[in-house]
């Protein structure tokens, strides 16, 4: 399956990746190759087969709904690229 | 004097308890090896010396005072750098987390610490565990300790190399499509991918959540079982962890080879398999047959589709999991940005490496509007068929044996330009993650270039004891 430059630009936008021209060119070819390879899945009729979401039959094992201490707020904020008081700081959202 | 380098976990804990050596002395020995050889091998991204010596001193004090110590008292363990250790660096081999420090401990870390294990350092890995050669790390490739011109395998290449180079007797890695077993095979050590759900994933940075499992690297079947027993079992912080307790160390001796039914999938021994690897594995199987095992050939009709299904499913899950790296709450943030959107797109463009971007792109494409049914849903249905192949096989046999890899280690740089060729090096390991079953790679010899050959033993869900029972039998009897 061949992809166009426009396909790659569209997907990059969805993925929030600012790719440069060299990358776009390279990924157009490489993703095309990979998609061509996975195309072989179409050889197998899978009509009524149930899709597999999970390898275990047990489903989710939930803990009881009790209050327990969680990670300290200041501990979390240590990794913030930019912070103001208790908040993460980012560029203005509404121009 | 007690020689630490080649010592097993059991030998170290006994020597410490008998006061032949102190925990600090053991640590000195391993750090000496690291100082001597790791500049070249590059198995570690970070050395956790302060934490390690603090713990060693605690253990030595407990022993001096005659207090009880844990089962791993004084045993150094290397930890893959996608597992959180409180207040230590965790980079996942990526620029985007180059300065990140963990705000909490992973459950496996809590469990090892409770048994007085010592964390010696964080090991190198393919960026976000995406790769099969350890070459996609932002911190440079790890080299294979057996021969420095060769790759150690990946993604847990640093952990495999650390054990092979005597930097630690045991290590933890993670395995999404072969990332423990493939480097274990290429470096000549043991590596176990447990059943999905056997080991808590809490504190493991998610790559593909329905496939990821943490597991041990070691130099013997007994050590592998010993570490597995400690890290496994239910964890309320991981809703996919099974409500089971494991104590397989005590069961290894009960293993009986007489009448054990071993399955050989013919497709795993066909085209593309290196002749020396094939012959070495088949020779081992012949020996097992002579000891009383029954050999059966298996068809596994959907085996050829595992890689195609995996390279839809794993990148799809990854594209979703990695959306959290946006420069807002932690990690690298790009400079000179104009608005919030640029903050995301430039941070991710500058912070992620080539392979990670490629997988995010594949996953985003497969999940995008109009393609979901053709790719993601189709791959999930194939996953069912692959699991059913294994279910059916295990009605007829007790274990399945295959080579771990189609070839021994390749040279650095040999496959970096060809992503698809790199993906195909995981051809024998990937379907096991899709089915969620356990598998071990154990070293069984070397090829004519003196590079290690690994053999893979696969069992049904939660039958780790059968795998390690067989591996331990082979160590003792063959």
């Amino acid at each position: 399956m061949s992809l166009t430059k426009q396909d790659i630009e569209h997907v990059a936008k969805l993925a929030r990746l600012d790719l440069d021209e060299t990358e776009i060119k390279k990924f157009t070819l490489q993703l095309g190759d990979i998609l061509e390879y996975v195309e072989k899945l179409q050889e197998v009729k899978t009509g009524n087969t149930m899709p597999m979401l999970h390898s275990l039959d047990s489903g989710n094992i939930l803990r009881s709904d009790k209050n327990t201490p969680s990670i300290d707020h200041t501990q979390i904020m240590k990794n913030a690229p930019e912070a103001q008081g208790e908040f993460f700081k980012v560029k203005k959202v509404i121009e | 004097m007690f020689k630490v380098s080649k010592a097993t976990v059991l030998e170290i804990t006994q020597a410490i308890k008998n006061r032949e050596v102190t925990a600090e002395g053991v640590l000195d020995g391993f750090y000496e090896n690291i100082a001597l050889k790791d500049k070249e091998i590059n198995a570690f991204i970070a050395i956790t010396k302060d934490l390690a010596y603090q713990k060693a001193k605690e253990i030595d004090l407990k022993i001096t005072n005659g207090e009880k110590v844990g089962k791993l008292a004084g045993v150094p363990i290397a930890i893959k750098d996608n597992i959180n250790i409180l207040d230590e660096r965790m980079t996942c081999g990526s620029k985007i987390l180059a300065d990140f420090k963990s705000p909490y401990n992973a459950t496996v870390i809590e469990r090892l610490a409770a048994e007085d294990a010592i964390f010696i350092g964080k090991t190198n890995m393919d960026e976000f565990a995406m790769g099969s050669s350890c070459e996609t790390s932002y911190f440079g490739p790890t080299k294979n300790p057996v021969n420095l011109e060769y790759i150690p395998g990946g993604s847990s290449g640093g952990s495999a190399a650390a054990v092979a180079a005597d930097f630690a007797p045991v290590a933890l890695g993670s395995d999404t499509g072969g990332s423990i077993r493939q480097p274990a095979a290429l470096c000549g050590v043991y590596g176990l991918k447990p059943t999905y759900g056997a080991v808590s994933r809490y504190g493991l940075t998610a790559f593909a959540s329905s496939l990821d499992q943490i597991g041990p690297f070691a130099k013997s079947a007994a050590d592998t079982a010993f570490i597995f027993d400690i890290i496994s079992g239910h964890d309320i912080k991981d809703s996919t962890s099974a409500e089971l307790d494991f104590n397989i160390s005590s069961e290894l001796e009960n293993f009986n080879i007489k009448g054990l039914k071993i399955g050989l999938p013919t497709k795993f021994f066909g085209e593309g398999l290196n002749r020396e690897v094939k012959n070495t594995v088949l020779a081992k199987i012949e020996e097992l047959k002579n000891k009383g095992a029954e050999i059966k050939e298996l068809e596994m009709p959907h085996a050829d589709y595992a890689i195609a299904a995996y390279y839809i499913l794993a990148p799809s899950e990854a594209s979703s999991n990695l959306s959290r790296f946006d420069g807002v709450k932690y990690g690298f943030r790009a400079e000179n940005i104009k608005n919030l959107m640029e903050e995301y797109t430039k941070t991710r463009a500058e912070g992620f490496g080539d392979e990670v971007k490629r997988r995010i792109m594949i996953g985003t494409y497969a999940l995008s509007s109009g393609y979901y049914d053709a790719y993601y849903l189709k791959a999930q249905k194939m996953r069912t068929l692959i699991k059913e192949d294994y279910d059916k096989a295990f009605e007829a046999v007790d274990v399945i044996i295959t080579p771990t890899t189609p070839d021994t280690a390749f040279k650095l740089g040999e496959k970096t330009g060809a992503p698809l060729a790199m993906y195909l090096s995981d051809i024998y390991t990937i379907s096991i993650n899709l089915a969620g079953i356990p598998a071990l790679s154990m070293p069984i010899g070397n090829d004519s270039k003196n590079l290690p050959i690994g053999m893979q033993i696969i069992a049904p869900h939660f039958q780790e004891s059968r795998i390690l029972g067989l591996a331990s039998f082979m160590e003792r009897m063959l």
Side-chain angles (χ1 to χ4, degrees):
Chain A
M1 166 150 185
S2 68
L3 290 173
T4 63
K5 185 171 174 262
Q6 286 71 31
D7 291 329
I8 295 296
E9 283 168 347
H10 172 65
V11 176
K13 197 177 155 208
L14 294 175
R16 302 287 186 260
L17 285 170
D18 182 23
L19 301 182
D20 62 32
E21 282 303 315
T22 331
E23 286 176 312
I24 290 172
K25 219 169 150 186
K26 183 173 67 183
F27 285 161
T28 308
L29 291 172
Q30 289 179 340
L31 259 65
D33 282 352
I34 294 162
L35 290 174
E36 193 181 302
Y37 177 78
V38 303
E39 202 61 29
K40 70 190 279 181
L41 292 177
Q42 308 303 333
E43 292 166 13
V44 181
K45 285 205 176 72
T46 49
N48 291 326
T49 309
M50 289 296 287
M52 179 170 162
L53 307 170
H54 209 280
S55 65
L56 297 175
D57 305 324
S58 53
N60 272 332
I61 301 166
L62 301 178
R63 61 175 179 261
S64 55
D65 187 18
K66 268 191 295 198
N67 254 336
T68 50
S70 49
I71 302 166
D72 187 63
H73 186 263
T74 50
Q75 184 79 31
I76 294 293
M77 295 308 288
K78 281 186 201 165
N79 279 309
E82 207 180 341
Q84 190 174 324
E86 296 191 299
F87 302 98
F88 296 108
K89 198 172 172 187
V90 294
K91 287 276 170 200
K92 209 196 280 183
V93 178
I94 301 161
E95 305 271 340
Chain B
M1 208 192 96
F2 180 74
K3 195 129 173 48
V4 299
S5 282
K6 303 279 173 199
T8 63
V9 168
L10 211 65
E11 286 163 1
I12 291 174
T13 50
Q14 263 170 4
I16 290 177
K17 277 181 198 159
N18 298 339
R19 303 200 186 188
E20 288 168 50
V21 64
T22 59
E24 227 184 312
V26 169
L27 206 49
D28 287 342
F30 284 109
Y31 276 134
E32 214 170 279
N33 283 351
I34 293 171
L36 217 60
K37 294 195 286 181
D38 202 41
K39 269 205 175 69
E40 248 183 329
I41 293 172
N42 196 30
F44 288 99
I45 289 176
I47 293 293
T48 51
K49 241 182 189 170
D50 292 348
L51 179 76
Y53 276 105
Q54 189 194 332
K55 184 82 176 179
K57 286 186 174 116
E58 269 173 41
I59 294 161
D60 286 334
L61 190 66
K62 275 194 206 170
I63 290 171
T64 313
N65 294 341
E67 289 169 48
K68 197 177 178 300
V69 288
K71 283 189 243 173
L72 287 172
V75 176
I77 177 161
I79 305 291
K80 187 176 182 180
D81 206 24
N82 59 353
I83 298 173
N84 284 280
I85 304 178
L86 176 66
D87 288 331
E88 299 296 335
R89 282 175 73 189
M90 185 186 68
T91 69
C92 293
S94 181
K95 179 183 176 183
I96 213 162
L97 287 177
D99 300 316
F100 182 82
K101 282 198 170 171
S102 297
Y104 68 102
N105 274 328
T107 296
V108 290
I109 296 300
E110 294 279 356
R111 289 185 180 172
L112 290 167
E115 295 297 346
D116 287 330
I118 297 180
F119 306 114
I120 192 162
K122 304 294 295 287
T123 57
N124 199 10
M125 55 184 282
D126 281 296
E127 187 180 3
F128 285 104
M130 297 175 188
S132 309
S133 67
C134 227
E135 292 169 295
T136 73
S137 170
Y138 176 63
F139 303 93
T142 296
K143 291 171 186 165
N144 194 320
V146 178
N147 184 330
L148 299 175
E149 287 176 27
Y150 290 82
I151 57 101
S155 67
S156 314
S159 289
V163 173
D166 299 326
F167 294 161
V170 279
L172 289 190
S174 66
D175 190 316
T176 305
S179 282
I180 290 175
R181 292 158 287 154
Q182 188 252 17
L186 303 190
C187 290
V189 297
Y190 289 75
L192 174 72
K193 200 274 310 174
T195 308
Y196 185 82
V199 178
S200 168
R201 291 180 293 112
Y202 180 76
L204 167 70
T205 308
F207 161 13
S209 312
S210 80
L211 304 164
D212 300 338
Q213 266 291 286
I214 296 172
F217 288 91
K219 288 176 187 168
S220 71
D223 280 1
T224 308
F226 199 67
I227 300 296
F228 171 74
D229 281 343
I230 290 165
I231 61 173
S232 60
H234 183 60
D235 174 20
I236 57 165
K237 290 171 177 164
D238 177 0
S239 67
T240 63
S241 83
E243 289 181 298
L244 290 170
D245 279 320
F246 296 89
N247 187 6
I248 64 172
S249 293
S250 65
E251 296 164 24
L252 297 186
E253 304 266 312
N254 302 341
F255 176 83
N256 189 356
I257 190 72
K258 293 265 170 346
L260 182 84
K261 296 191 192 76
I262 299 175
L264 303 187
T266 46
K267 287 204 170 98
F268 288 59
F269 288 87
E271 206 188 321
L273 175 59
N274 170 296
R275 180 163 292 277
E276 286 183 83
V277 175
K278 180 178 176 174
N279 291 342
T280 312
V281 174
L282 289 178
K284 281 287 165 197
I285 288 165
E286 195 56 34
E287 290 181 54
L288 291 171
K289 196 175 158 189
N290 294 338
K291 295 278 181 194
E294 291 171 30
I295 312 297
K296 263 190 146 130
E297 288 198 348
L298 298 170
E299 201 198 342
M300 312 294 280
H302 301 96
D304 295 341
Y305 300 100
I307 289 200
Y310 178 89
Y311 276 98
I312 298 294
L313 297 173
S316 293
E317 293 188 30
S319 72
S320 168
N321 275 326
L322 269 59
S323 65
R324 73 192 61 175
F325 300 103
D326 57 7
V328 175
K329 296 186 287 298
Y330 41 71
F332 166 82
R333 180 188 284 184
E335 283 170 15
N336 303 321
I337 37 179
K338 290 201 284 289
N339 52 43
L340 188 64
M341 184 55 103
E342 270 199 1
E343 196 164 292
Y344 299 148
T345 59
K346 289 207 189 307
T347 292
R348 291 162 64 79
E350 292 172 30
F352 289 137
D354 193 52
E355 182 61 25
V356 172
K357 286 182 194 172
R358 186 157 38 243
R359 302 232 193 158
I360 291 175
M361 290 290 289
I362 301 168
T364 307
Y365 180 83
L367 294 177
S368 66
S369 174
Y371 295 104
Y372 180 87
D373 283 5
Y375 291 106
Y376 192 67
L377 190 65
K378 184 79 185 178
Q380 281 184 315
K381 289 181 172 185
M382 184 53 75
R383 192 175 174 187
T384 302
L385 296 174
I386 289 165
K387 179 177 179 283
E388 285 173 358
D389 280 358
Y390 279 104
D391 290 345
K392 204 170 155 227
F394 285 123
E395 285 171 15
V397 300
D398 302 309
V399 295
I400 296 173
I401 290 182
T402 76
T404 309
T405 55
D407 210 336
T408 51
F410 47 91
K411 285 196 169 160
L412 281 131
E414 197 178 313
K415 293 187 181 177
T416 41
L420 198 53
M422 187 76 90
Y423 298 170
L424 292 170
S425 67
D426 289 334
I427 195 153
Y428 301 141
T429 50
I430 266 178
S431 60
I432 281 92
N433 299 74
L434 294 172
I437 50 184
L440 172 83
S441 179
M442 72 180 285
I444 56 161
N446 295 318
D447 70 2
S448 50
K449 288 177 280 181
N450 212 27
L451 296 168
I453 295 170
M455 185 181 94
Q456 181 172 237
I457 308 173
I458 311 162
H461 287 101
F462 302 115
Q463 297 304 316
E464 279 81 356
S465 62
R466 200 181 293 168
I467 293 177
L468 286 154
L470 174 58
S472 164
F473 170 83
M474 290 177 68
E475 263 175 6
R476 285 177 283 126
M477 305 304 289
L478 302 187

